[in-house]
Amino acid sequence: MAILTILVVSLLAGLSMFTVRGASDDQLEVYSWWTGPGEEEGLAAMAKSFEAANPGVRFVNAAVSGGAGSNAKAILASRLLANDPPDSYQRHAGLELLDDVRSGKVQDLTGLYHQQGWTKVFPKGLVENLTIDGRIYAVPVNIHRANLMWYSPGTLKDLGLPGPPKTWAEFLQQAETIKAKGRIPLAVGPEWTQKHLLETVLLGELGADKYERLFSGGISWLSPDVTAALATFAKVLAVSDVKSAAGDWQPQLDKVFSGSAVYAVMGDWSSSYLEQSKKLRWETDYNVTASPGTDGVYDFLSDSFTLPTGSRRPDLARKWLVECGSADGQNLFNPLKGSIPARTDADPGLYQGYLDWALQQWRDPKTRIVGSLTHGVVANNAYNAEIDSALGLFVQHGDQGKFARTVEQQYRETQ
Ligand code: GAL
């Protein structure tokens, strides 16, 4: 009986493997963390265009929910370890790609770049962030901005506030008025949103040069400037709702637009959520400004797609990457996603409201561009993970010195 059961189970397993493998002949599994309003529609628009260009091929959306890839990245890591990659997966431009490249998990796309003429249509600095040891490893679909502060003009008016704060010192002053009127000055969400906040406070307090040098080892986490910036971060967090933080970035923003909180620092994926899901209008119902101290600085990140080693259909995956890198694909995706195109030749007329402003800022030669910490640009994965653990403890116990010493030491250990 036992032998019979084993035989039947093996036969079924064999059959199901056969079914999956058989089906995978004309399907492409694409992995991301885009399940929220706006981002889901943007991905679906590109998927539809990909299917239309490749009749008979099915786009399998393998998205895993959780802002900033908080769940998706962990599940992807176990799939990559088991040599069971999707046919293409989302990564950020920057040092986030390094592990995949060093461990041979992704294929070199330099040839595809030349074939498609992409080195001429993507900004040079962006291509540099996708290049490791002279080879290019991912195709960028967009540009996002991280250093933004979102608010309701109506709430500011009700509270008699003249406008959003231009510095963190001014924010802390406003926070006193806001608290006195029974509201929360700043809404935060889960740990990654707190790191996102830390990144913008560091950028605002240190300025772009020192921010960059901090993440390239040029200045110490124990230096007086960084010590002062971290003290500001602790004060900012103290006037936030961190003790009852929202579960993700959408409910974090909801607190601002229900009026219980006044500000939230978040990336510009917020714009599509606020417009499409909440039906709010830019400048009237919601507004946004550079996070305090960062006017004229664009803290960028870029969502990109890879060709994993072991993709079942590398031919189709390449076609998907062509969709991602094409002007048509980017123009379908970005207006829905709430991001601007990575390509420099996209049609600016498609980007309205907040996105028009974002595009102007991105393209303004006077804008200073720096890379995001939380979204993969300036720190490798090992260092980022160490910052996560140390920050979790800092937020919980408030030991700033321990945080700075740990992160300083981990920088050296993770390079
Ligand atoms: C970022 C990603 C964005 C958006 C955001 C919130 O890491 O680049 O596209 O998904 O997380 O989930």
Side-chain angles (χ1 to χ4, degrees), residues 95-115:
L95 291 174
E96 189 176 297
L97 277 167
L98 198 61
D99 287 345
D100 293 350
V101 173
R102 294 273 147 84
S103 58
K105 296 292 181 196
V106 286
Q107 300 188 36
D108 175 11
L109 299 172
T110 315
L112 190 63
Y113 265 71
H114 291 313
Q115 186 202 81

Side-chain angles (χ1 to χ4, degrees), residues 33-34 39 67-68 90 92 144 192 249 269 301 303 337 375:
W33 56 87
W34 292 331
E39 50 194 30
Q90 178 186 359
H92 289 120
H144 268 306
W192 72 265
W249 62 272
W269 40 91
L301 57 126
D303 294 307
K337 173 71 168 80
H375 307 278

